Structures are given as structure tokens and as C-alpha cells.
Amino acid sequence: MNVSYQYPTNVLIAEDDDEDYLIFSLAIEELSFKVVLSRAENGDILFKLLDENNPDIVFLDLLMPCKDGRQCLREIRANRKYDAIPIIVYSSLSDLQNIEFCYREGSNLYAIKPHTITELKTILEKIFTIDWKKVLYFPPRSMFVLNPQ
């Protein structure tokens, strides 16, 4: 999924924290291409919106109420109708155990939440330039863990 400058990219983010969502949405607005952003405040809402919005890409926080990101990742990857949707884990957790778990369960990329909007914008630009149809099942070698540090 290279970003198309003609058509908007439909992004669904599962994020319960209002401040983290605000920072994410502000960074999205600063990008040079059009993105339609939808938000699921918890794992239960995520599954409703997956079917309604038909997203091009999903950003998934691990620490959420109802169903956490780990449960959501497993359920999404267990359902074949979501196979073509890239899942980017977007989490403040940076330990190897969580990162390995997410890749093992089918995450396409693991992005550690940065500390500034500028860092986030840089990460998002990299993510949106990946041709996800070509690397959907394997993360690009240079981007196993996106961390601005």
C-alpha cells in the first residue's frame, strides 16, 4: 500500500488514551497526503469498525480496556477476511517480549510511541511509504522496530 496522492488512505487506530490519539491525529494532519482517520477506543469497538470502515491499515495499541491489543491481534489474524490489512502495533511498551509476541502473532510492524509529534510524523511517513501489498507478511528489514531514539 504505497500512499496514493489521489485517494485517501483509510486508517483505523485502536487507542484508548485521548492524549495519545490527539498527538497521532495531529501528526496525521501534518502529512503531505490525505488520510481518513477512524478511532476505536477499545478492542470491542475495533472489531465493529473493522467491518464498517474497511481500513487500509490498522494501528493497534497494546494497552486497552475490554480486549487488549494482544487479544485483538490474535483475533484479527485468526480471521482470514482481515489477511490483507497491515497491522502496525503502536505501543509505549518497548520490551523484547512484547515485540516478539506481536511479530509471532502476525503484526506487520511494531512502532514504539515517540515523545514528540515531529518524531511521530517521521515514523508515519516511513510507514506510509511502504508498499504493504509486497511486504504484508514480512516487515521490511530496516524497520523491525520503529523507535526514534
Side-chain angles (χ1 to χ4, degrees):
M1 174 206 79
N2 269 345
V3 171
S4 169
Y5 291 93
Q6 295 176 334
Y7 304 103
T9 302
N10 191 359
V11 172
L12 175 57
I13 183 169
E15 175 62 70
D16 64 307
D17 186 275
D18 290 336
E19 188 173 311
D20 284 347
Y21 174 72
L22 176 62
I23 292 167
F24 190 89
S25 65
L26 290 172
I28 288 282
E29 288 177 11
E30 291 186 17
L31 298 176
S32 60
F33 41 85
K34 186 158 175 59
V35 174
V36 176
L37 183 62
S38 302
R39 177 186 181 194
E41 290 88 0
N42 64 54
D44 290 336
I45 296 172
L46 172 64
F47 285 93
K48 292 176 187 169
L49 293 179
L50 268 174
D51 289 326
E52 291 174 12
N53 293 349
N54 192 25
D56 295 311
I57 192 166
V58 170
F59 286 83
L60 181 62
D61 186 20
L62 293 181
L63 303 174
M64 294 187 299
C66 300
K67 289 181 186 178
D68 70 11
R70 291 171 199 82
Q71 292 171 294
C72 291
L73 179 58
R74 280 185 167 156
E75 286 184 39
I76 291 169
R77 287 302 179 223
N79 190 330
R80 300 288 313 222
K81 72 179 179 179
Y82 303 130
D83 281 356
I85 301 173
I87 299 173
I88 311 303
V89 172
Y90 179 65
S91 179
S92 57
L93 301 175
S94 60
D95 61 286
L96 191 56
Q97 184 178 6
N98 276 300
I99 294 167
E100 287 178 344
F101 172 87
C102 290
Y103 280 121
R104 196 171 45 251
E105 295 299 323
S107 171
N108 299 97
L109 196 63
Y110 195 102
I112 297 168
K113 290 181 181 178
H115 299 288
T116 69
I117 291 178
T118 303
E119 291 170 334
L120 177 55
K121 184 179 169 189
T122 300
I123 290 170
L124 290 173
E125 286 172 343
K126 289 179 183 179
I127 288 171
F128 287 119
T129 58
I130 295 171
D131 187 349
W132 287 105
K133 300 301 179 203
K134 290 183 180 176
V135 296
L136 191 56
Y137 301 103
F138 305 99
R141 272 182 258 173
S142 64
M143 299 178 73
F144 279 99
V145 177
L146 287 176
N147 186 352
Q149 300 170 354

